[in-house]
Amino acid sequence: MYAFPYSLTKTAPRDDLRMGVLLRDALAHQGVSFRVVKPYDRLPPEYLVAQADLTGPRVWIHGCDCNGSTHYDIPRAGLLAVAAVVTDEDGTRFVFDGFSRDEARPVAQAEACARAVAVFLGLEPREPECTWCQDYGQYPIHDGNTDAVLYHRACENPLCVARRQERAALYAAQLREPVTVGLDVLEPVLCTQCPYGNYQQVPGLDVYACTAGCGHTVTATADGFTLLRENGRDQHLTAYEGLLHIAEPAGSVPPF
């Protein structure tokens, strides 16, 4: 098997209600280091892979849906189970077997999987500080009849509110100021997923990643760099000094 260690396929935004954000957040909360791996070039499945060190066994983490598809970022609505599998000198076995658990809700599966992976890697499992939302900063609102997720609501626990304010202030202080280049004013574009960071170039790649660390990326196409806005229209971006910017004629930018 040939593994492509750094897939450029981005994790879907939180509002898309897929498993990728849940799994990545849960693993990060447990202090587990991971990366996205695509084992086969021509097949779609991608996995989150965690290792204690470069020589240790790899833990392959993914979700399975009701149609038999596997991917770490599958839609939550069709989730059957989350699984984490390792192969070492003892053979291939589950680190976490979501198929045998009664609790099949996406958040519960992601958290349980992350704790199991942390224990396997020799880490001390961390309990969430906020018991309202399990440190996710928001919680799902379920339909009373179907149990489907209708939408997510920001957690109003004072702990989470303070975290949001602190994070916003931190990244606001790091944002770059607009610069004038020729007849254009270049304003660094905010991440469309968090939205706290700018987009900074990944060294050696035509890929720009969010400076706030949320995992959102923008990849170059034949037309350069573009972002899809809520109105469905692409917005062209300009790369300058390692950041992506929105270019506007100097006279069209408000002086504040």
Side-chain angles (χ1 to χ4, degrees):
M1 179 177 67
Y2 184 81
F4 294 79
Y6 300 104
S7 169
L8 298 182
T9 300
K10 64 184 180 184
T11 301
R14 188 179 301 275
D15 290 344
D16 283 3
L17 301 181
R18 302 176 76 91
M19 287 301 299
V21 170
L22 292 182
L23 286 169
R24 294 178 72 142
D25 285 355
L27 291 167
H29 175 74
Q30 294 295 340
V32 176
S33 299
F34 57 88
R35 62 186 185 276
V36 177
V37 173
K38 184 175 184 178
Y40 304 101
D41 187 23
R42 297 185 179 182
L43 295 178
E46 294 181 316
Y47 301 81
L48 295 180
V49 174
Q51 273 181 294
D53 53 60
L54 294 178
T55 60
R58 295 180 176 184
V59 181
W60 295 75
I61 304 160
H62 65 282
C64 299
D65 67 16
C66 299
N67 297 318
S69 299
T70 61
H71 197 286
Y72 83 94
D73 202 18
I74 63 173
R76 301 181 200 178
L79 178 69
L80 181 62
V82 170
V85 180
V86 67
T87 298
D88 56 16
E89 63 274 6
D90 297 324
T92 299
R93 64 190 187 281
F94 282 112
V95 171
F96 174 78
D97 178 11
F99 297 95
S100 62
R101 297 177 64 91
D102 294 333
E103 176 58 84
R105 281 190 172 179
V107 172
Q109 287 259 325
E111 291 173 350
C113 178
R115 284 194 294 270
V117 171
V119 171
F120 176 82
L121 297 179
L123 302 174
E124 185 70 27
R126 302 176 184 176
E127 295 301 322
E129 297 178 11
C130 176
T131 57
W132 292 16
C133 68
Q134 307 301 308
D135 288 342
Y136 283 105
Q138 57 182 340
Y139 52 88
I141 303 300
H142 296 270
D143 183 278
N145 297 319
T146 66
D147 204 32
V149 176
L150 299 177
Y151 58 92
H152 284 72
R153 178 179 295 167
C155 181
E156 296 302 327
N157 186 315
L159 175 64
C160 283
V161 172
R163 282 176 178 168
R164 285 199 298 270
Q165 294 172 344
E166 180 181 357
R167 185 171 59 175
L170 173 64
Y171 289 118
Q174 297 176 351
L175 295 180
R176 304 288 184 88
E177 295 295 324
V179 295
T180 301
V181 179
L183 299 177
D184 292 331
V185 173
L186 303 182
E187 182 175 356
V189 64
L190 287 176
C191 175
T192 59
Q193 179 168 313
C194 30
Y196 298 109
N198 300 137
Y199 288 104
Q200 187 173 41
Q201 186 175 17
V202 178
L205 299 174
D206 284 334
V207 178
Y208 285 69
C210 175
T211 57
C214 75
H216 194 237
T217 60
V218 178
T219 304
T221 65
D223 298 325
F225 294 94
T226 58
L227 279 178
L228 182 63
R229 293 299 187 179
E230 292 181 357
N231 58 12
R233 300 178 60 184
D234 288 340
Q235 183 171 43
H236 183 71
L237 304 177
T238 299
Y240 179 74
E241 292 188 347
L243 289 179
L244 291 181
H245 299 73
I246 299 173
E248 298 284 354
S252 66
V253 178
F256 52 81

